[in-house]
Amino acid sequence: MCGRYALGIRASFVRYQLQQQGMQVDNAPEDDQARETYNFPPGAYGLVYRAQVPDSGLRDEDEDPAEASERSDAQAAVREDTTGEDETPQNENENKNGHLNYEIKVMKWGLIPFWTKRSPDYGSLMRTINCRDDSLIENRGMWNTMKQRKRCIVVAQGFYEWLKKGPAGKEKIPHFVKRKDGQLMCFAGLWDCVKYEDAEDKLYTYTIITTDPNKQLTFLHDRMPVILDPNTDAMSLWLDPTVNKWSKDLQDVLKPFEGELECYPVNKEVGKVGNNSPDFIIPVDSKENKKNIANFFGNARKINDLRSPSKDMKEVKIEHNQDTRDTKDHESSENSAPMPVPPKEEGGMKRKLDTDDEGDHHDKAPKLEFTPEQKPASQQSRSPERLTTPLKPATAKKTRSATSNADVSKKPTPVKDGSKRITSFFGKT
């Protein structure tokens, strides 16, 4: 079955993509009318492509002949009232050339038949999110009316399926499936329109048709959605509302996808309906995935580049990842993050922090280390164990008397072991 898919794109982008592939799109909803999420669940409002026809279809074989005749006469009267080519189209569902309009319409996932009087519960809705292709072979059952004249295409980026592993299949690993060419996925579907008792508005709903898996997905599940290629004979036949009688040609459209697909494990957080993130359609072991350890250290290198004085800040671009999921507590903290180390520069000096065996930083001040070529000449001969300031020559400055301008001869005072000269103290400063 197909119980979750991705639709994290706007309706305007879907319209553009379909038109680029040669699909006719006469009407489309506003971007805020459909749900935009990478974790699209049953009961949400998605985007459906279909021929713009009356809610009862082009022709209802089950309706009363008198009502059908009355409706045909009304349509004929409308055609007689239209005279010029620039006038309003003869039928709101037809364009100026007399051809049908095609539209992208917002509908609710989980088909509700038109004869339903009250809103069903969620459990009942879940039973109609998918329709098996083999259930359409015989002309009976709840799908019989929809398959005759209410066929559509459900637009998605791809779909999710869970691989069961471990004892009794308790471990479930989500996989994302998409087209290898990067195009939108077009699922074959059915739609219907219902109006509940005492309700003012109509409700449009849809289901996705499933079939046997192709060779790429046999390991994953025993079913897969029917995927049609845009602007092909198969899709044109499926969307043609004038073909309102089920045939072998229509049944043959429902088969496993023959193109190339990509299938890979993704974040397990997609299993919760309330979660939503673009990471859900990225391989879990990809460098693009924020949870990948390689990307974690890659981000540390980016921070290091930003702090490096030799980096041209105008060329640095900070990437921001948006994730609307609720914040959760983690066992780790910022204290365990690796410290960025600025790269060594030519002709400069590097800072070194003393660390113990566990990597914790001491409260010691950082030491400055020089290379032998960078040391001053006065320090190159010093002992590393004890630093002393050399005595200044006696002739460097004459001492004057405090009571006269005459020079006072100064005799050098012998330096005893362990004593310090006051001039040496100030010399250090």
Side-chain angles (χ1 to χ4, degrees), residues 196-211:
Y196 300 134
E197 292 180 342
D198 302 327
E200 296 182 359
D201 299 328
K202 296 179 180 179
L203 177 62
Y204 293 86
T205 60
Y206 66 92
T207 186
I208 297 175
I209 301 177
T210 62
T211 186

PDB file of all heavy atoms in Angstrom, residues 196-211:
ATOM      1  N   TYR A 196     -22.544  15.948   2.548  1.00  0.00           N
ATOM      2  CA  TYR A 196     -23.198  15.317   3.686  1.00  0.00           C
ATOM      3  C   TYR A 196     -24.553  15.957   3.970  1.00  0.00           C
ATOM      4  O   TYR A 196     -24.856  17.077   3.501  1.00  0.00           O
ATOM      5  CB  TYR A 196     -22.320  15.449   4.939  1.00  0.00           C
ATOM      6  CG  TYR A 196     -20.955  14.818   4.816  1.00  0.00           C
ATOM      7  CD1 TYR A 196     -19.816  15.499   5.234  1.00  0.00           C
ATOM      8  CD2 TYR A 196     -20.802  13.546   4.284  1.00  0.00           C
ATOM      9  CE1 TYR A 196     -18.565  14.929   5.134  1.00  0.00           C
ATOM     10  CE2 TYR A 196     -19.551  12.963   4.177  1.00  0.00           C
ATOM     11  CZ  TYR A 196     -18.438  13.659   4.602  1.00  0.00           C
ATOM     12  OH  TYR A 196     -17.190  13.096   4.490  1.00  0.00           O
ATOM     13  N   GLU A 197     -25.351  15.247   4.741  1.00  0.00           N
ATOM     14  CA  GLU A 197     -26.633  15.798   5.182  1.00  0.00           C
ATOM     15  C   GLU A 197     -26.407  17.057   6.023  1.00  0.00           C
ATOM     16  O   GLU A 197     -25.518  17.099   6.863  1.00  0.00           O
ATOM     17  CB  GLU A 197     -27.395  14.765   6.008  1.00  0.00           C
ATOM     18  CG  GLU A 197     -27.879  13.558   5.201  1.00  0.00           C
ATOM     19  CD  GLU A 197     -28.626  12.571   6.075  1.00  0.00           C
ATOM     20  OE1 GLU A 197     -28.476  12.646   7.319  1.00  0.00           O
ATOM     21  OE2 GLU A 197     -29.354  11.716   5.534  1.00  0.00           O
ATOM     22  N   ASP A 198     -27.221  18.061   5.779  1.00  0.00           N
ATOM     23  CA  ASP A 198     -27.153  19.337   6.500  1.00  0.00           C
ATOM     24  C   ASP A 198     -25.819  20.063   6.288  1.00  0.00           C
ATOM     25  O   ASP A 198     -25.452  20.933   7.089  1.00  0.00           O
ATOM     26  CB  ASP A 198     -27.391  19.127   8.001  1.00  0.00           C
ATOM     27  CG  ASP A 198     -28.730  18.469   8.287  1.00  0.00           C
ATOM     28  OD1 ASP A 198     -29.679  18.726   7.522  1.00  0.00           O
ATOM     29  OD2 ASP A 198     -28.820  17.705   9.262  1.00  0.00           O
ATOM     30  N   ALA A 199     -25.077  19.728   5.236  1.00  0.00           N
ATOM     31  CA  ALA A 199     -23.821  20.413   4.921  1.00  0.00           C
ATOM     32  C   ALA A 199     -24.021  21.341   3.733  1.00  0.00           C
ATOM     33  O   ALA A 199     -24.798  21.055   2.821  1.00  0.00           O
ATOM     34  CB  ALA A 199     -22.725  19.408   4.609  1.00  0.00           C
ATOM     35  N   GLU A 200     -23.354  22.475   3.769  1.00  0.00           N
ATOM     36  CA  GLU A 200     -23.491  23.454   2.700  1.00  0.00           C
ATOM     37  C   GLU A 200     -22.467  23.248   1.582  1.00  0.00           C
ATOM     38  O   GLU A 200     -22.754  23.519   0.419  1.00  0.00           O
ATOM     39  CB  GLU A 200     -23.343  24.863   3.276  1.00  0.00           C
ATOM     40  CG  GLU A 200     -24.431  25.246   4.277  1.00  0.00           C
ATOM     41  CD  GLU A 200     -24.266  26.658   4.792  1.00  0.00           C
ATOM     42  OE1 GLU A 200     -23.273  27.318   4.370  1.00  0.00           O
ATOM     43  OE2 GLU A 200     -25.094  27.106   5.599  1.00  0.00           O
ATOM     44  N   ASP A 201     -21.288  22.790   1.937  1.00  0.00           N
ATOM     45  CA  ASP A 201     -20.206  22.660   0.959  1.00  0.00           C
ATOM     46  C   ASP A 201     -20.006  21.211   0.532  1.00  0.00           C
ATOM     47  O   ASP A 201     -20.267  20.277   1.289  1.00  0.00           O
ATOM     48  CB  ASP A 201     -18.892  23.194   1.550  1.00  0.00           C
ATOM     49  CG  ASP A 201     -18.989  24.666   1.906  1.00  0.00           C
ATOM     50  OD1 ASP A 201     -19.726  25.389   1.208  1.00  0.00           O
ATOM     51  OD2 ASP A 201     -18.329  25.079   2.890  1.00  0.00           O
ATOM     52  N   LYS A 202     -19.499  21.061  -0.673  1.00  0.00           N
ATOM     53  CA  LYS A 202     -19.145  19.734  -1.188  1.00  0.00           C
ATOM     54  C   LYS A 202     -17.725  19.376  -0.738  1.00  0.00           C
ATOM     55  O   LYS A 202     -16.900  20.246  -0.464  1.00  0.00           O
ATOM     56  CB  LYS A 202     -19.222  19.722  -2.713  1.00  0.00           C
ATOM     57  CG  LYS A 202     -20.617  19.952  -3.277  1.00  0.00           C
ATOM     58  CD  LYS A 202     -20.580  19.943  -4.795  1.00  0.00           C
ATOM     59  CE  LYS A 202     -21.963  20.173  -5.387  1.00  0.00           C
ATOM     60  NZ  LYS A 202     -21.917  20.181  -6.877  1.00  0.00           N
ATOM     61  N   LEU A 203     -17.472  18.106  -0.680  1.00  0.00           N
ATOM     62  CA  LEU A 203     -16.145  17.621  -0.307  1.00  0.00           C
ATOM     63  C   LEU A 203     -15.607  16.726  -1.413  1.00  0.00           C
ATOM     64  O   LEU A 203     -16.242  15.749  -1.803  1.00  0.00           O
ATOM     65  CB  LEU A 203     -16.206  16.834   1.004  1.00  0.00           C
ATOM     66  CG  LEU A 203     -14.890  16.198   1.475  1.00  0.00           C
ATOM     67  CD1 LEU A 203     -13.835  17.264   1.748  1.00  0.00           C
ATOM     68  CD2 LEU A 203     -15.118  15.329   2.699  1.00  0.00           C
ATOM     69  N   TYR A 204     -14.417  17.065  -1.941  1.00  0.00           N
ATOM     70  CA  TYR A 204     -13.761  16.283  -2.982  1.00  0.00           C
ATOM     71  C   TYR A 204     -12.678  15.405  -2.348  1.00  0.00           C
ATOM     72  O   TYR A 204     -11.844  15.894  -1.570  1.00  0.00           O
ATOM     73  CB  TYR A 204     -13.141  17.196  -4.045  1.00  0.00           C
ATOM     74  CG  TYR A 204     -14.157  17.955  -4.860  1.00  0.00           C
ATOM     75  CD1 TYR A 204     -14.667  19.176  -4.416  1.00  0.00           C
ATOM     76  CD2 TYR A 204     -14.617  17.453  -6.078  1.00  0.00           C
ATOM     77  CE1 TYR A 204     -15.609  19.877  -5.158  1.00  0.00           C
ATOM     78  CE2 TYR A 204     -15.547  18.143  -6.837  1.00  0.00           C
ATOM     79  CZ  TYR A 204     -16.042  19.354  -6.371  1.00  0.00           C
ATOM     80  OH  TYR A 204     -16.983  20.050  -7.107  1.00  0.00           O
ATOM     81  N   THR A 205     -12.690  14.125  -2.674  1.00  0.00           N
ATOM     82  CA  THR A 205     -11.736  13.180  -2.101  1.00  0.00           C
ATOM     83  C   THR A 205     -11.132  12.310  -3.199  1.00  0.00           C
ATOM     84  O   THR A 205     -11.648  12.246  -4.314  1.00  0.00           O
ATOM     85  CB  THR A 205     -12.418  12.279  -1.050  1.00  0.00           C
ATOM     86  OG1 THR A 205     -13.475  11.543  -1.677  1.00  0.00           O
ATOM     87  CG2 THR A 205     -13.002  13.111   0.087  1.00  0.00           C
ATOM     88  N   TYR A 206     -10.036  11.616  -2.868  1.00  0.00           N
ATOM     89  CA  TYR A 206      -9.361  10.778  -3.868  1.00  0.00           C
ATOM     90  C   TYR A 206      -8.710   9.571  -3.217  1.00  0.00           C
ATOM     91  O   TYR A 206      -8.524   9.503  -1.989  1.00  0.00           O
ATOM     92  CB  TYR A 206      -8.302  11.591  -4.616  1.00  0.00           C
ATOM     93  CG  TYR A 206      -7.131  12.058  -3.775  1.00  0.00           C
ATOM     94  CD1 TYR A 206      -5.968  11.295  -3.673  1.00  0.00           C
ATOM     95  CD2 TYR A 206      -7.187  13.279  -3.089  1.00  0.00           C
ATOM     96  CE1 TYR A 206      -4.899  11.722  -2.923  1.00  0.00           C
ATOM     97  CE2 TYR A 206      -6.113  13.708  -2.333  1.00  0.00           C
ATOM     98  CZ  TYR A 206      -4.974  12.930  -2.245  1.00  0.00           C
ATOM     99  OH  TYR A 206      -3.912  13.352  -1.494  1.00  0.00           O
ATOM    100  N   THR A 207      -8.369   8.592  -4.063  1.00  0.00           N
ATOM    101  CA  THR A 207      -7.638   7.403  -3.659  1.00  0.00           C
ATOM    102  C   THR A 207      -6.521   7.140  -4.651  1.00  0.00           C
ATOM    103  O   THR A 207      -6.586   7.591  -5.803  1.00  0.00           O
ATOM    104  CB  THR A 207      -8.567   6.176  -3.581  1.00  0.00           C
ATOM    105  OG1 THR A 207      -7.840   5.059  -3.052  1.00  0.00           O
ATOM    106  CG2 THR A 207      -9.092   5.800  -4.951  1.00  0.00           C
ATOM    107  N   ILE A 208      -5.475   6.435  -4.212  1.00  0.00           N
ATOM    108  CA  ILE A 208      -4.328   6.090  -5.061  1.00  0.00           C
ATOM    109  C   ILE A 208      -4.410   4.602  -5.404  1.00  0.00           C
ATOM    110  O   ILE A 208      -4.565   3.762  -4.514  1.00  0.00           O
ATOM    111  CB  ILE A 208      -3.001   6.403  -4.351  1.00  0.00           C
ATOM    112  CG1 ILE A 208      -2.892   7.913  -4.100  1.00  0.00           C
ATOM    113  CG2 ILE A 208      -1.816   5.915  -5.180  1.00  0.00           C
ATOM    114  CD1 ILE A 208      -1.668   8.302  -3.284  1.00  0.00           C
ATOM    115  N   ILE A 209      -4.276   4.280  -6.688  1.00  0.00           N
ATOM    116  CA  ILE A 209      -4.357   2.893  -7.138  1.00  0.00           C
ATOM    117  C   ILE A 209      -2.990   2.225  -6.998  1.00  0.00           C
ATOM    118  O   ILE A 209      -1.963   2.807  -7.362  1.00  0.00           O
ATOM    119  CB  ILE A 209      -4.843   2.829  -8.589  1.00  0.00           C
ATOM    120  CG1 ILE A 209      -6.233   3.481  -8.719  1.00  0.00           C
ATOM    121  CG2 ILE A 209      -4.904   1.393  -9.081  1.00  0.00           C
ATOM    122  CD1 ILE A 209      -6.760   3.534 -10.135  1.00  0.00           C
ATOM    123  N   THR A 210      -2.984   1.008  -6.466  1.00  0.00           N
ATOM    124  CA  THR A 210      -1.747   0.264  -6.274  1.00  0.00           C
ATOM    125  C   THR A 210      -1.741  -0.988  -7.149  1.00  0.00           C
ATOM    126  O   THR A 210      -2.791  -1.485  -7.565  1.00  0.00           O
ATOM    127  CB  THR A 210      -1.569  -0.152  -4.807  1.00  0.00           C
ATOM    128  OG1 THR A 210      -2.642  -1.022  -4.429  1.00  0.00           O
ATOM    129  CG2 THR A 210      -1.573   1.067  -3.901  1.00  0.00           C
ATOM    130  N   THR A 211      -0.535  -1.473  -7.414  1.00  0.00           N
ATOM    131  CA  THR A 211      -0.350  -2.666  -8.239  1.00  0.00           C
ATOM    132  C   THR A 211       0.821  -3.472  -7.684  1.00  0.00           C
ATOM    133  O   THR A 211       1.369  -3.149  -6.620  1.00  0.00           O
ATOM    134  CB  THR A 211      -0.095  -2.274  -9.706  1.00  0.00           C
ATOM    135  OG1 THR A 211      -0.045  -3.440 -10.512  1.00  0.00           O
ATOM    136  CG2 THR A 211       1.199  -1.512  -9.851  1.00  0.00           C
TER     137      THR A 211
END
